[in-house]
Amino acid sequence: MRIGFIGAGSMVAAIARGAVAAGMNASDFLFTDAHGVHAPALAEELGGEVARSNGSLAHRADLLVLGVKPHAQRAVIERIAHIVRERPDMCVVSLAAGRTLDAILADFGAAVPLIRVMPNVNAQIGQSMSGICAVNASEEQIQAVERLMNAVGRSVRIQEKDFPVFSALAGCSPAWVFQIIDALARAGVKHGLPKDTAVAIAAQALSGSANLVADARSRGVVPAQLIDQVTSPGGTTIAGLLAAEAHGLSTSLVAAVDAAVERDAELS
């Protein structure tokens, strides 16, 4: 399967590198970018090919990944829409945040196979959580996109109406987690640790905890049960947890999700 990437920024680079690392054949990858700089460099690095133009790429790709910024996507589509309409077996994949399936289909002027994907920043280390929804696409095409995105983390199929909350939980939350790590590290500094050491400790603790939650979920164990496992009666963990709750830990995180969902509605 030929996969064509229009745009070669950091997210496309992360996806392409992850796919190659997962065993996909880089010689099946085609790249273009607006300035002719990043695509040639990425193609040379991975062993892919630079297409002569977006139109040439659209003629040859089986999966066409639109990796350009949301504000630039419509102009890119306008120049290749006639080619895509003539290739009903090709599937278009959009990485553009905030652009709905209906809006993208309107740009193409036809009911083309289309899959909307929302990865997150952790794709650059192979730990993305990606949301996927599709229209007019076959199961085979959806599975091909899942394989591509699972090469840089995990993916989940969702309905498009759930993209705002998915964006909050997966797209926005890394920034909130970074803030939590930094806050924990500052607390470590308060009690005598060097900042870099405190960051390393907090980051590994959160990373390990997230992996434990994922592993426990496969066994039907929920986070609340894990909390019970590490809170001894009268111990330090329950003292800290109750203090954090008294200062709004859970309510502040719910409020963050609410604010992100509300802002998404304002921007749509």
Side-chain angles (χ1 to χ4, degrees):
M1 176 177 282
R2 301 282 282 179
I3 302 177
F5 297 91
I6 295 180
S10 57
M11 185 57 70
V12 165
I15 293 170
R17 288 172 182 141
V20 172
M24 297 181 72
N25 193 344
S27 64
D28 290 332
F29 292 178
L30 300 165
F31 300 97
T32 64
D33 75 301
H35 304 292
V37 175
H38 298 298
L42 191 57
E44 182 177 2
E45 173 192 339
L46 299 178
E49 181 182 344
V50 179
R52 295 192 309 274
S53 64
N54 291 347
S56 172
L57 185 148
H59 275 297
R60 299 171 61 191
D62 300 302
L63 281 182
L64 192 159
V65 180
L66 297 174
V68 298
K69 299 291 186 183
H71 71 271
Q73 190 184 77
R74 179 171 295 162
V76 169
I77 291 174
E78 286 177 353
R79 293 178 174 85
I80 62 171
H82 65 289
I83 301 171
V84 174
R85 289 195 297 266
E86 293 168 358
R87 300 196 58 211
D89 293 333
M90 181 179 68
C91 182
V92 177
V93 180
S94 171
L95 303 181
R99 299 222 69 212
T100 66
L101 294 171
D102 285 345
I104 299 168
L105 288 177
D107 291 341
F108 279 108
V112 302
L114 175 63
I115 299 176
R116 182 180 174 190
V117 177
M118 180 176 289
N120 73 12
V121 67
N122 297 326
Q124 59 190 288
I125 59 164
Q127 293 292 325
S128 178
M129 182 70 234
S130 301
I132 295 175
C133 66
V135 63
N136 307 321
S138 68
E139 179 64 22
E140 181 182 6
Q141 289 169 330
I142 296 172
Q143 289 181 6
V145 173
E146 286 179 327
R147 286 193 296 273
L148 183 64
M149 299 315 301
N150 288 344
V152 290
R154 300 182 182 183
S155 62
V156 60
R157 298 188 194 187
I158 59 174
Q159 297 182 50
E160 189 169 47
K161 68 179 181 62
D162 294 325
F163 258 79
V165 67
F166 176 86
S167 176
L169 293 178
C172 302
S173 66
W176 307 337
V177 172
F178 302 153
Q179 176 71 10
I180 291 168
I181 291 172
D182 193 59
L184 289 171
R186 291 196 301 271
V189 172
K190 175 183 177 182
H191 291 280
L193 286 175
K195 181 67 178 289
D196 185 62
T197 301
V199 168
I201 293 169
Q204 179 57 37
L206 265 69
S207 176
S209 299
N211 287 330
L212 180 57
V213 167
D215 179 73
R217 177 178 171 274
S218 68
R219 296 181 277 108
V221 177
V222 299
Q225 292 171 284
L226 296 176
I227 292 172
D228 290 343
Q229 290 178 17
V230 294
T231 48
S232 303
T236 57
T237 301
I238 189 64
L241 182 60
L242 291 176
E245 286 298 289
H247 283 81
L249 175 62
S250 294
T251 55
S252 66
L253 292 173
V254 173
V257 172
D258 290 346
V261 171
E262 290 168 9
R263 182 57 176 159
D264 182 274
E266 293 170 359
L267 295 173
S268 298

